[in-house]
Tab-separated table of all heavy atoms in Angstrom:
chain	number	residue	atom	x	y	z
A	477	ASN	N	115.488	98.618	-106.008
A	477	ASN	CA	115.496	99.912	-105.331
A	477	ASN	C	116.126	99.660	-103.868
A	477	ASN	O	116.586	100.549	-103.195
A	477	ASN	CB	114.169	100.683	-105.328
A	477	ASN	CG	113.882	101.129	-106.631
A	477	ASN	OD1	114.718	101.383	-107.487
A	477	ASN	ND2	112.535	101.233	-106.856
A	478	HIS	N	115.885	98.516	-103.358
A	478	HIS	CA	116.258	98.266	-101.782
A	478	HIS	C	117.051	97.079	-101.553
A	478	HIS	O	117.435	96.885	-100.361
A	478	HIS	CB	114.838	98.289	-101.103
A	478	HIS	CG	114.113	99.517	-101.260
A	478	HIS	ND1	114.559	100.695	-100.721
A	478	HIS	CD2	112.860	99.697	-101.765
A	478	HIS	CE1	113.608	101.647	-100.912
A	478	HIS	NE2	112.615	101.070	-101.679
A	479	LEU	N	117.379	96.159	-102.494
A	479	LEU	CA	118.196	95.038	-102.262
A	479	LEU	C	119.405	94.852	-103.162
A	479	LEU	O	119.788	93.731	-103.444
A	479	LEU	CB	117.255	93.698	-102.327
A	479	LEU	CG	116.123	93.527	-101.418
A	479	LEU	CD1	115.313	92.326	-101.688
A	479	LEU	CD2	116.561	93.603	-99.908
A	480	GLN	N	120.001	95.954	-103.512
A	480	GLN	CA	121.167	95.917	-104.417
A	480	GLN	C	122.479	96.009	-103.649
A	480	GLN	O	123.500	95.806	-104.230
A	480	GLN	CB	120.995	97.018	-105.451
A	480	GLN	CG	119.804	96.756	-106.417
A	480	GLN	CD	120.010	95.419	-107.275
A	480	GLN	OE1	120.969	95.198	-107.881
A	480	GLN	NE2	119.093	94.572	-107.128
A	481	LYS	N	122.504	96.628	-102.440
A	481	LYS	CA	123.746	96.671	-101.767
A	481	LYS	C	124.468	95.357	-101.530
A	481	LYS	O	123.683	94.374	-101.318
A	481	LYS	CB	123.537	97.434	-100.459
A	481	LYS	CG	123.004	98.860	-100.645
A	481	LYS	CD	122.788	99.546	-99.232
A	481	LYS	CE	122.219	100.979	-99.395
A	481	LYS	NZ	122.013	101.494	-97.994
A	482	PRO	N	125.770	95.312	-101.421
A	482	PRO	CA	126.396	93.991	-101.145
A	482	PRO	C	125.998	93.380	-99.806
A	482	PRO	O	126.055	92.180	-99.753
A	482	PRO	CB	127.893	94.489	-101.155
A	482	PRO	CG	127.972	95.602	-102.035
A	482	PRO	CD	126.695	96.354	-101.776
A	483	SER	N	125.564	94.253	-98.928
A	483	SER	CA	125.106	93.694	-97.593
A	483	SER	C	123.797	93.146	-97.599
A	483	SER	O	123.363	92.401	-96.676
A	483	SER	CB	125.318	94.800	-96.539
A	483	SER	OG	124.383	95.946	-96.947
A	484	CYS	N	122.991	93.401	-98.773
A	484	CYS	CA	121.690	93.015	-98.760
A	484	CYS	C	121.517	91.532	-99.201
A	484	CYS	O	122.379	91.113	-100.169
A	484	CYS	CB	120.855	93.792	-99.704
A	484	CYS	SG	120.607	95.574	-99.073
A	485	PRO	N	120.625	90.776	-98.830
A	485	PRO	CA	120.457	89.307	-99.295
A	485	PRO	C	119.892	89.326	-100.714
A	485	PRO	O	119.273	90.308	-101.169
A	485	PRO	CB	119.493	88.744	-98.276
A	485	PRO	CG	118.680	89.928	-97.766
A	485	PRO	CD	119.688	91.105	-97.759
A	486	LEU	N	119.952	88.183	-101.347
A	486	LEU	CA	119.454	87.863	-102.649
A	486	LEU	C	117.915	87.406	-102.481
A	486	LEU	O	117.780	86.495	-101.652
A	486	LEU	CB	120.184	86.861	-103.460
A	486	LEU	CG	121.506	87.329	-103.948
A	486	LEU	CD1	122.309	85.977	-104.492
A	486	LEU	CD2	121.359	88.194	-105.252
A	487	LEU	N	117.047	87.854	-103.236
A	487	LEU	CA	115.703	87.311	-103.219
A	487	LEU	C	115.782	86.232	-104.244
A	487	LEU	O	115.859	86.462	-105.480
A	487	LEU	CB	114.690	88.437	-103.657
A	487	LEU	CG	113.225	87.886	-103.901
A	487	LEU	CD1	112.644	87.241	-102.679
A	487	LEU	CD2	112.270	89.040	-104.263
A	488	THR	N	115.668	84.962	-103.759
A	488	THR	CA	115.818	83.870	-104.643
A	488	THR	C	114.440	83.173	-105.056
A	488	THR	O	114.289	82.500	-106.077
A	488	THR	CB	116.628	82.688	-104.008
A	488	THR	OG1	115.880	82.311	-102.733
A	488	THR	CG2	117.993	83.164	-103.612
A	489	GLU	N	113.437	83.448	-104.328
A	489	GLU	CA	112.040	82.901	-104.554
A	489	GLU	C	110.927	83.763	-103.985
A	489	GLU	O	111.184	84.377	-102.956
A	489	GLU	CB	111.825	81.390	-104.207
A	489	GLU	CG	112.445	80.358	-105.145
A	489	GLU	CD	111.474	80.197	-106.308
A	489	GLU	OE1	110.562	81.045	-106.584
A	489	GLU	OE2	111.543	79.265	-107.080
A	490	TYR	N	109.780	83.717	-104.590
A	490	TYR	CA	108.590	84.381	-103.848
A	490	TYR	C	107.382	83.739	-104.324
A	490	TYR	O	107.250	83.112	-105.402
A	490	TYR	CB	108.692	85.894	-104.181
A	490	TYR	CG	108.209	86.271	-105.700
A	490	TYR	CD1	106.889	86.520	-105.851
A	490	TYR	CD2	109.138	86.306	-106.657
A	490	TYR	CE1	106.403	86.893	-107.106
A	490	TYR	CE2	108.644	86.702	-107.987
A	490	TYR	CZ	107.312	86.951	-108.231
A	490	TYR	OH	106.937	87.283	-109.463
A	491	THR	N	106.364	83.928	-103.524
A	491	THR	CA	104.980	83.717	-103.898
A	491	THR	C	104.063	84.550	-103.177
A	491	THR	O	104.583	85.515	-102.473
A	491	THR	CB	104.582	82.156	-103.719
A	491	THR	OG1	103.341	81.897	-104.293
A	491	THR	CG2	104.550	81.772	-102.340
A	492	SER	N	102.758	84.433	-103.351
A	492	SER	CA	101.861	85.380	-102.787
A	492	SER	C	100.661	84.650	-102.235
A	492	SER	O	100.337	83.590	-102.628
A	492	SER	CB	101.541	86.467	-103.694
A	492	SER	OG	100.883	85.963	-104.881
A	493	TYR	N	99.852	85.426	-101.494
A	493	TYR	CA	98.621	84.858	-100.812
A	493	TYR	C	97.726	86.025	-100.547
A	493	TYR	O	98.072	87.114	-100.025
A	493	TYR	CB	98.941	84.116	-99.566
A	493	TYR	CG	97.797	83.692	-98.771
A	493	TYR	CD1	96.745	82.946	-99.231
A	493	TYR	CD2	97.787	84.121	-97.457
A	493	TYR	CE1	95.701	82.504	-98.500
A	493	TYR	CE2	96.613	83.714	-96.654
A	493	TYR	CZ	95.581	82.844	-97.139
A	493	TYR	OH	94.591	82.533	-96.444
A	494	ALA	N	96.487	85.971	-100.906
A	494	ALA	CA	95.491	86.892	-100.590
A	494	ALA	C	94.928	86.597	-99.198
A	494	ALA	O	94.038	85.555	-99.041
A	494	ALA	CB	94.354	86.959	-101.647
A	495	ASP	N	95.315	87.170	-98.168
A	495	ASP	CA	94.928	86.909	-96.763
A	495	ASP	C	93.593	87.691	-96.351
A	495	ASP	O	93.591	88.942	-96.302
A	495	ASP	CB	96.046	87.377	-95.796
A	495	ASP	CG	95.783	86.864	-94.465
A	495	ASP	OD1	94.583	86.399	-94.018
A	495	ASP	OD2	96.662	87.009	-93.582
Side-chain angles (χ1 to χ4, degrees):
N477 293 333
H478 299 293
L479 294 179
Q480 291 301 298
K481 295 179 182 178
S483 59
C484 292
L486 286 166
L487 174 58
T488 60
E489 274 285 15
Y490 75 90
T491 190
S492 62
Y493 170 60
D495 187 350

